[in-house]
């Protein structure tokens, strides 16, 4: 997450292979809201990303995670931050459709919920995908004057239990709501990555 994109190398695609379990905080979240003892007890690292949104739980065989970075001269660039992820959401939508997964694309504005400041998948942002109201592809972005970095994640497993244990703003009574916030794709991450990259190469 601390890696800085290089404008000279855009457009760039980075496929992340997660080898450790971690709670990933959004750029505006404070570690003060995390029970570090509970993290240690669950074997979870605590890291912070430079893109926005709430916390995300990552671990081996739990997600397909792809970062896409474009420069200002890219034809997909727009100065409208709300509209900027829409093209990428369409690519993911087509990729999932190719695997037999029908999704809904969320258009601006962002929709927040009681829990979305704490957990990324509890809200809906532009360019994100849902199935029956449950998010199946989340995207967060970091912008500069010349670069836009999109961090995209599709869960292949979803268990909000560890987040409830480590985030001090959550309690056991939030489990039912959080369980329904995400949908999973029953496809191997490597297969999903390959199909997404094929569709990305076409735009």
């Amino acid at each position: 997450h601390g890696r800085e994109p290089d404008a000279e190398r855009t457009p760039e695609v980075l496929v992340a292979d997660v080898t450790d379990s971690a709670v990933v905080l959004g750029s505006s979240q404070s570690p003060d809201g995390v029970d570090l003892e509970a993290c240690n007890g669950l074997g979870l690292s605590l890291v912070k990303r430079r893109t926005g949104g709430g916390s995300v739980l990552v671990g081996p065989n739990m997600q397909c995670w792809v970062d896409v970075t474009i420069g200002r001269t890219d034809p997909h660039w727009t100065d409208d931050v709300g509209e900027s992820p829409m093209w990428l959401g369409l690519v993911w939508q087509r990729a999932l459709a190719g695997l037999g997964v029908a999704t809904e694309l969320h258009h601006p504005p962002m929709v927040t919920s009681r829990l979305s400041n704490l957990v990324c998948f509890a809200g809906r942002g532009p360019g994100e995908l849902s199935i029956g109201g449950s998010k199946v592809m989340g995207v967060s972005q970091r912008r500069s004057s010349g670069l836009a970095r999109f961090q995209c994640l599709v869960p292949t497993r979803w268990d909000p239990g560890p987040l409830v244990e480590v985030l001090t703003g959550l309690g056991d009574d939030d489990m039912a709501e959080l369980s329904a916030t995400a949908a999973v794709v029953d496809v191997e991450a490597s297969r999903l990555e390959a199909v997404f990259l094929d569709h990305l190469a076409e735009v």
Side-chain angles (χ1 to χ4, degrees):
H1 288 289
R3 180 175 175 273
E4 286 290 351
D6 183 351
E8 298 299 320
R9 297 177 60 185
T10 57
E12 181 182 61
V13 179
L14 175 67
V15 178
D17 182 14
V18 179
T19 58
D20 189 16
S21 297
V23 175
V24 183
L25 300 179
S27 58
S28 63
Q29 289 184 293
S30 170
D32 293 340
V34 180
D35 184 336
L36 296 180
E37 186 175 339
C39 272
N40 292 334
L42 292 172
L44 295 172
S45 300
L46 180 65
V47 296
K48 193 168 185 176
R49 65 182 186 270
R50 298 190 178 190
T51 54
S55 300
V56 177
L57 180 68
V58 299
N61 305 312
M62 287 181 61
Q63 67 286 300
C64 172
W65 171 6
V66 182
D67 285 6
V68 178
T69 303
I70 62 172
R72 176 171 285 277
T73 59
D74 192 282
H76 300 297
W77 178 278
T78 174
D79 289 330
D80 187 328
V81 175
E83 290 287 343
S84 62
M86 295 300 296
W87 70 275
L88 195 54
L90 284 169
V91 177
W92 277 107
Q93 188 174 47
R94 292 171 188 141
L96 288 169
L99 294 168
V101 181
T103 61
E104 301 92 42
L105 177 67
H106 184 78
H107 293 264
M110 181 174 290
V111 175
T112 59
S113 73
R114 180 177 64 88
L115 301 175
S116 58
N117 285 337
L118 294 173
V119 179
C120 176
F121 272 68
R124 300 288 179 274
E128 296 184 327
L129 301 178
S130 299
I131 300 174
S134 299
K135 188 190 295 188
V136 73
M137 191 283 291
V139 56
S140 59
Q141 64 176 309
R142 176 175 170 80
R143 298 280 295 233
S144 68
S145 59
L147 289 174
R149 179 185 185 183
F150 305 97
Q151 294 194 294
C152 308
L153 189 138
V154 177
T156 54
R157 285 196 292 123
W158 173 248
D159 176 11
L163 290 176
V164 170
E165 289 195 47
V166 304
L167 296 179
T168 58
L170 297 176
D172 291 341
D173 54 341
D174 296 315
M175 272 293 295
E177 184 174 343
L178 286 174
S179 295
T181 61
V184 299
V185 176
D186 189 18
V187 177
E188 288 291 331
S190 58
R191 172 64 176 152
L192 182 52
E193 290 160 5
V195 172
F196 168 72
L197 294 175
D198 284 345
H199 282 79
L200 184 64
E202 296 174 357
V203 301

